[in-house]
């Protein structure tokens, strides 16, 4: 009998995207803690597989800018090998403790907001990794709802997965772009649960 699995995709819970980082999202540290708690209690039970994505920039071209528009260009962040690209300390112990099955690095030489543009240490894409393990349903959480969580969830549907975003475990940059993101989800067939926290 063919058994499908549910996966959890944790998007970019990294130091540079939380308070004190180079591109901080208000509430990022709180989400890092919440996501860690979710993984600790759900890995191997509700979720057969848990993966995490990381921005991992080497030379992303115009994605880095001294005059960023905060849509396509941003200040320097998550540089490969730098401290800002590391997982936030509220989430990092969950990774080192073995609760995360694979890490997918994205954006070495491009913006690459979606986790589905990334690859693991062996060069395997996220979509191929999930399919090889019978995953058909994914929940997406992390930072930020209106940027990389959005791109990852939309690409999950494009890749043939059923995708749901858990808003209680995600945080957006701004109210207007978060609201428009929810409209994008509805149109694309991405479901979501919980409430989008009001960015502060």
């Amino acid at each position: 009998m063919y058994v499908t699995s549910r996966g959890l995709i944790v998007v970019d819970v990294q130091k540079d995207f939380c308070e004190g980082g180079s591109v901080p999202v208000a509430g990022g540290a709180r989400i890092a803690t919440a996501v860690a708690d979710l993984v600790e209690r759900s890995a191997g039970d509700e979720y057969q597989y848990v993966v995490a994505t990381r921005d991992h920039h080497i030379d992303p071209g115009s994605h880095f800018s001294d005059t960023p528009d905060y849509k396509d260009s941003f200040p320097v962040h998550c540089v490969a090998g730098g401290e800002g690209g590391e997982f936030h300390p509220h989430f990092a112990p969950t990774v080192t403790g073995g609760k995360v099955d694979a890490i997918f690095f994205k954006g070495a030489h491009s913006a690459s907001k979606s986790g589905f543009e990334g690859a693991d240490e062996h060069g395997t894409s996220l979509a191929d990794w999930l399919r090889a393990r019978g995953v058909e349903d994914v929940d997406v959480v992390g930072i930020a709802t209106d940027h990389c969580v959005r791109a990852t969830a939309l690409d999950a549907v494009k890749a043939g997965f059923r995708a749901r975003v858990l808003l209680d475990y995600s945080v957006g940059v701004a109210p207007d772009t978060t609201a428009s993101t929810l409209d994008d989800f509805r149109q694309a067939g991405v479901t979501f649960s919980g409430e989008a926290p009001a960015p502060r």
Side-chain angles (χ1 to χ4, degrees):
M1 183 177 66
Y2 181 72
V3 179
T4 63
S5 301
R6 175 176 289 277
L8 177 68
I9 304 173
V10 178
V11 177
D12 298 0
V13 180
Q14 295 169 263
K15 290 182 179 180
D16 269 348
F17 296 136
C18 297
E19 293 84 347
S22 63
V23 191
V25 179
R30 174 181 57 79
I31 287 300
T33 299
V35 169
D37 290 343
L38 173 66
V39 174
E40 290 291 341
R41 69 173 184 268
S42 303
D45 184 11
E46 181 177 359
Y47 300 112
Q48 286 72 48
Y49 298 100
V50 177
V51 301
T53 71
R54 279 177 60 169
D55 253 17
H56 186 74
H57 296 307
I58 297 173
D59 182 14
S62 60
H63 186 55
F64 283 173
S65 175
D66 293 330
T67 56
D69 62 14
Y70 292 94
K71 180 181 178 183
D72 298 310
S73 60
F74 295 84
V76 174
H77 61 278
C78 297
V79 174
E83 183 178 354
E86 298 297 321
F87 289 118
H88 189 275
H90 293 178
F91 178 64
T94 301
V95 180
T96 57
K99 295 290 187 178
V100 173
D101 297 295
I103 299 169
F104 292 84
F105 299 90
K106 60 188 177 68
H109 300 284
S110 64
S112 294
K113 289 186 177 183
S114 169
F116 284 88
E117 297 177 88
D120 68 6
E121 60 182 341
H122 305 294
T124 304
S125 72
L126 176 54
D128 287 346
W129 194 96
L130 292 170
R131 289 192 192 104
R133 288 156 181 80
V135 176
E136 295 184 359
D137 297 271
V138 295
D139 284 352
V140 185
V141 300
I143 306 170
T145 310
D146 41 353
H147 287 274
C148 294
V149 170
R150 173 187 179 277
T152 300
L154 293 176
D155 275 359
V157 170
K158 290 178 184 176
F161 299 94
R162 289 182 291 269
R164 177 178 65 171
V165 174
L166 306 183
L167 298 175
D168 291 337
Y169 298 93
S170 307
V171 64
V173 173
D176 57 342
T177 51
T178 298
S180 66
T181 290
L182 300 188
D183 289 337
D184 293 340
F185 288 164
R186 292 184 187 98
Q187 293 176 15
V190 175
T191 61
F192 51 87
S193 66
E195 295 185 8
R200 293 184 295 275

